[in-house]
Amino acid sequence: LSNPKIPNEDPLVRMDREHFIHPYTDFPSFKESGSQIITKSKGLYVHDHMGGKYLDAIAGLWCVNIGHGRQEMADTIAEQVLEMQYYNPFGASSNVPAAKLSHKLAQISPKSLNHVFYSSGGSTANDVAVRLIHYYFNLKKQPNKKQIISRIDGYHGATYVAASLTGIHGTKDGFDTLGGFIHHVSAANMYRRPDGMSESAYCDFLVDEFENRILQLGPQNVAAFIAEPIMGAGGVLVAPKNYHPRMHAICKKYDMLYVSDEVVTAFGRLGEMMASKEVFDVEPDIICLAKGISSGYIPLGATMISDEIYDVISQPQSEGGALTMGFTYSGHAVACAAALKNIEIMETENLCEHVRKVGPYFMEKLGQLVDLPIVGDVRGSHLMAGIELVSNQRTKEAFDFRLNVSDRVFKYAREDGVIVRPVGNSIILSPPLILENTHCDKIADTLRSAISRVSEELQSDKAA
Ligand SMILES: Cc1ncc(COP(=O)(O)O)c(C=O)c1O
C-alpha cells in the first residue's frame, strides 16, 4: 500500500514552508510541494503528519545509529536535565557526564588520542581541528605551517572553514569559500578512475598527486591533510586498498598532521567504534566525531587529539595565557549524558558485531541491483552504501542533472515506504545499525522497483 500524499494546504506544511529555511532546498519545488513533516519515530521507522510510515534507510542523516525513540535515551536525558542540565565549561569548571564521556572516548579511540574538545556538531568538530592545528604549529614555532589539504568530493560541513574544506562543487554555487590556506586533491573514486588502470596503479597515482601538491606548496607550509575514511556525501567512495596508510605515511614524511573526519564512519557504521585504525590501519593525529556519538538524540561534536598535540597546546602561548577558544556548549552535560548512554547501548547490544554480520548481507543485496540498466556502481561497506545511476553502463556516462534521476528514485521509494537519500546522480543509504536481514530485503526490493520505474520512464521519454 502506498503512503498517503501530503496536502499542500495543510497548516503545518504552510508554517514550515513560509518560515523554515531548510538546508539544501530547491526553493521552487519546496514552495510548490512543501515538506514531509516527520512527527513520530521509533526503531527503524519514521511517521509523517499524514500517517505515512517509512523505513528510515538513512538513519535521519547518517546519525540515528541506535534507532529512533529509545526509552533509555529519553530517561537519561530527562534525568540529566533534572540533575544538572548545564553549567559553564570554561576554565577549570566541568560536569559529571563530560568527564565520564571524555574518559570513554579516550578508551575507544586509537591509543594516542586521549584528549577531546567538544562542540555541537561535525562542522564545528572540523573547525576546531583546523584552529587547533594552526595553534599547535604556532606554539611549535612553525608559524608558516598553515596549508591544509582536503579532497574533491569530500564533505566536512557547513561552517565557513568546514565548507571550504568541503570539495563537492555543488555545495559552492553562489557561495564564497575561504581563500588561501585550503587546497584539494583528487577524490579516491575507484569507479571513475581512468579506464583500465589497476587499483594499485590508481593508488600510486593518488599518493603521487598528494606528494606533488605538498612539494608544490612547500612542506614547510603544509600543516595537515583531512579525509573521511570512506567519503560519505561525496557519493560513498571507498578508496583503493592501502590508500589511507600511504597518505598517512606521506603526512609523517613531511611533518604534517593527519585528520580523520569520522563524523559518519565512527560509532558502528563500519562495524567498529572508530574506523581509522580498526578498518583502515591508520592512527590519525586528530579524529573528528559527531552524529552517531549521540545518535542524533542531542547535537554533539567532539575533536579527539593526540597526546603529542595536547602536550604542545597545553603549554600557554604566553605567560598566563590560556587556550582562548571555546563554545558555550562545549561539554554540554545533557549531550554528554546522551552520548554516554548511546555508547553504553551500542556496547551492551553488541551493535558493532551486529553490523559486521548484517553489513555484508546489506551490501550483497544492494549489489544485485547492478543488473538494472541504469545502475552503474554499487559501493560502500557495511551500513554505508552508494548506488550511482548512469545513462550508459558501458561508458559510465552520467545523467544530465536536469533529469533529477535520483530524486525520482527517492520519490518512488518513499511511496513504497522506504526513505533513501538522493545526492547528485547517486542514492545513498546509511540505515540505523539495528536493522535485520528482512529490512535489507525490503530496502533492496523497494529500490529495485523504484529504479526500474525510473529506467522505464526514461526509456519511454527517449522513444517519444
Ligand atoms: C564526514 C562529515 N563531516 C562533517 C559533517 C558536518 O556535520 P554537521 O552537519 O553535524 O555539522 C558531515 C555531515 O554530514 C559529514 O558527513
Side-chain angles (χ1 to χ4, degrees), residues 61-62 120-126 154-159 162 166 226-234 261-265 288-291 299-301 384 421:
L61 194 53
W62 323 85
S120 49
S123 308
T124 49
N126 286 325
Y155 185 78
H156 300 290
T159 51
T166 293
I226 180 163
E228 299 153 83
I230 290 180
M231 263 186 196
D261 179 346
E262 288 227 38
V263 165
V264 165
T265 53
C288 300
L289 304 167
K291 296 194 187 262
L300 182 64
M384 190 173 176
R421 184 157 173 240

Side-chain angles (χ1 to χ4, degrees), residues 65-345:
N65 289 10
I66 59 169
H68 294 276
R70 296 191 68 140
Q71 186 67 47
E72 315 91 294
M73 292 298 285
D75 292 343
T76 298
I77 289 166
E79 280 159 22
Q80 189 58 48
V81 169
L82 293 171
E83 187 70 23
M84 198 294 282
Q85 90 293 348
Y86 173 78
Y87 196 70
N88 162 28
F90 282 33
S93 161
S94 194
N95 65 69
V96 176
K100 286 187 180 166
L101 179 64
S102 308
H103 178 248
K104 185 73 199 172
L105 290 175
Q107 278 180 335
I108 62 175
S109 297
K111 242 188 1 290
S112 67
L113 277 77
N114 286 314
H115 312 274
V116 56
F117 194 98
Y118 293 110
S119 57
S120 49
S123 308
T124 49
N126 286 325
D127 266 49
V128 164
V130 171
R131 289 201 72 198
L132 287 179
I133 289 165
H134 287 170
Y135 187 68
Y136 163 81
F137 282 117
N138 288 343
L139 287 187
K140 280 187 66 174
K141 308 267 181 282
Q142 293 172 279
N144 291 334
K145 263 191 168 313
K146 289 286 184 287
Q147 311 299 309
I148 312 273
I149 300 182
S150 182
R151 299 182 298 170
I152 293 167
D153 286 339
Y155 185 78
H156 300 290
T159 51
Y160 230 118
V161 168
S164 305
L165 292 171
T166 293
I168 302 174
H169 293 301
T171 65
K172 316 263 178 191
D173 286 348
F175 282 102
D176 288 0
T177 47
L178 291 177
F181 72 89
I182 295 170
H183 311 270
H184 294 89
V185 290
S186 299
N189 189 335
M190 288 286 287
Y191 179 59
R192 298 220 168 260
R193 71 187 187 275
D195 270 352
M197 189 182 257
S198 71
E199 180 168 354
S200 72
Y202 184 51
C203 190
D204 291 345
F205 161 80
L206 294 168
V207 174
D208 287 350
E209 181 202 28
F210 181 50
E211 185 161 16
N212 287 335
R213 183 65 63 86
I214 296 165
L215 294 172
Q216 197 181 41
L217 294 166
Q220 71 284 3
N221 301 319
V222 190
F225 171 60
I226 180 163
E228 299 153 83
I230 290 180
M231 263 186 196
V236 185
L237 302 180
V238 183
K241 203 161 173 279
N242 280 330
Y243 168 87
H244 289 292
R246 290 184 62 192
M247 297 295 269
H248 181 261
I250 298 279
C251 288
K252 294 303 108 182
K253 180 171 170 188
Y254 295 111
D255 184 26
M256 290 163 58
L257 299 174
Y258 183 104
V259 184
S260 192
D261 179 346
E262 288 227 38
V263 165
V264 165
T265 53
F267 301 102
R269 188 144 299 286
L270 299 180
E272 300 289 344
M273 276 298 189
M274 288 183 206
S276 301
K277 179 81 185 133
E278 304 299 333
V279 183
F280 296 99
D281 199 24
V282 160
E283 186 154 339
D285 301 288
I286 299 180
I287 295 184
C288 300
L289 304 167
K291 296 194 187 262
I293 191 172
S294 52
S295 280
Y297 280 79
I298 295 221
L300 182 64
T303 308
M304 302 297 304
I305 64 167
S306 67
D307 292 334
E308 191 194 326
I309 299 175
Y310 179 79
D311 288 347
V312 172
I313 67 154
S314 56
Q315 306 297 322
Q317 195 158 20
S318 58
E319 209 171 319
L323 178 69
T324 47
M325 172 179 81
F327 301 98
T328 301
Y329 299 133
S330 292
H332 191 286
V334 181
C336 291
L340 271 171
K341 181 52 86 177
N342 174 63
I343 295 170
E344 184 190 310
I345 290 171

